[in-house]
Amino acid sequence: VGAVDDLGVMTSFSAFGPTDDGRIKPDLVANGTTIYSTLGTSANSYGNYNGSSMAAASATGSLALLFQLQQMLQPEVGLQSSTMKGLLIHTATEMGPDPGPDYQHGWGLINMKAAADLLQGNAENGGMNLREEILSNGEVKQIQVKSLSSSPFLKLTLCWTDQAGDPSPASLNPLNRKLVNDLNLSVEQMATSQNHLPW
């Protein structure tokens, strides 16, 4: 989680990606400046702090509230951590100089209202907004989607929890891939057979 200020401007202390193997980092950004938080000096001590650690705490608190909302809306439906990560990425507010993910802001600023609205809509439409699947090695899943003609665009997000890979031997900036599972997403327009790839 990268850190921005109250206006969404990237801070000077937040680290930028990419990772050595090219993956986008940070995944998201959140406010990490002048955050009023608890101190360890006593049970009632507070102070202002800056840092990506404060942005991470904001993101974690946001996720906890989304888990609570999910339990209120659909107590019988637990969502995987990858689904929650995908929810935050999917509903993030665009940041950066160009549309799409970048190596400073990731997929954008966490937008709790949009994430909560998507969870609410998912509960109301019988789970059509969020889908959890298990894929076997080399398997292809096809999901038919029909968008309304009044819809301005179709937005899809694929997210998964990758298993731990083997650590690289000690070296400077190793470029070997770290992903164990490398999933791809494409959208085919049925009428024209045109294939659309992400960004």
Side-chain angles (χ1 to χ4, degrees), residues 3-20:
V4 294
D5 66 16
D6 286 336
L7 300 175
V9 175
M10 183 55 69
T11 60
S12 61
F13 52 78
S14 192
F16 298 163
T19 61
D20 289 333

Side-chain angles (χ1 to χ4, degrees), residues 59-80:
T60 304
S62 297
L63 276 170
L65 291 171
L66 289 173
F67 271 110
Q68 182 180 15
L69 176 61
Q70 174 65 16
Q71 285 303 301
M72 291 168 51
L73 295 170
Q74 295 178 294
E76 71 287 356
V77 179
L79 297 177
Q80 298 175 8

Side-chain angles (χ1 to χ4, degrees), residues 20-176:
D20 289 333
D21 64 339
R23 288 172 292 128
I24 292 174
K25 294 296 171 196
D27 292 306
L28 296 157
V29 293
N31 190 348
T33 60
T34 320
I35 303 298
Y36 192 61
S37 184
T38 56
L39 300 175
T41 53
S42 72
N44 58 353
S45 296
Y46 295 87
N48 290 314
Y49 283 96
N50 299 319
S52 55
S53 296
M54 301 311 292
S58 174
T60 304
S62 297
L63 276 170
L65 291 171
L66 289 173
F67 271 110
Q68 182 180 15
L69 176 61
Q70 174 65 16
Q71 285 303 301
M72 291 168 51
L73 295 170
Q74 295 178 294
E76 71 287 356
V77 179
L79 297 177
Q80 298 175 8
S81 61
S82 57
T83 304
M84 297 305 282
K85 178 180 177 180
L87 174 66
L88 289 183
I89 287 172
H90 186 82
T91 57
T93 300
E94 171 63 39
M95 301 287 292
D98 298 306
D102 62 65
Y103 293 127
Q104 292 181 353
H105 307 90
W107 278 267
L109 178 68
I110 291 175
N111 184 331
M112 279 293 291
K113 169 89 169 73
D117 287 348
L118 194 141
L119 275 183
Q120 177 85 38
N122 189 62
E124 292 171 357
N125 68 25
M128 295 188 66
N129 295 353
L130 299 173
R131 187 179 185 123
E132 295 180 334
E133 299 268 346
I134 296 175
L135 290 173
S136 299
N137 191 28
E139 183 180 4
V140 174
K141 289 266 186 183
Q142 293 184 346
I143 303 168
Q144 287 196 2
V145 178
K146 184 175 183 179
S147 59
L148 300 173
S149 58
S150 60
S151 297
F153 58 86
L154 174 66
K155 183 176 181 181
L156 305 167
T157 302
L158 174 65
C159 201
W160 67 97
T161 303
D162 206 40
Q163 65 189 56
D166 296 325
S168 299
S171 63
L172 179 63
N173 300 327
L175 302 179
N176 51 315

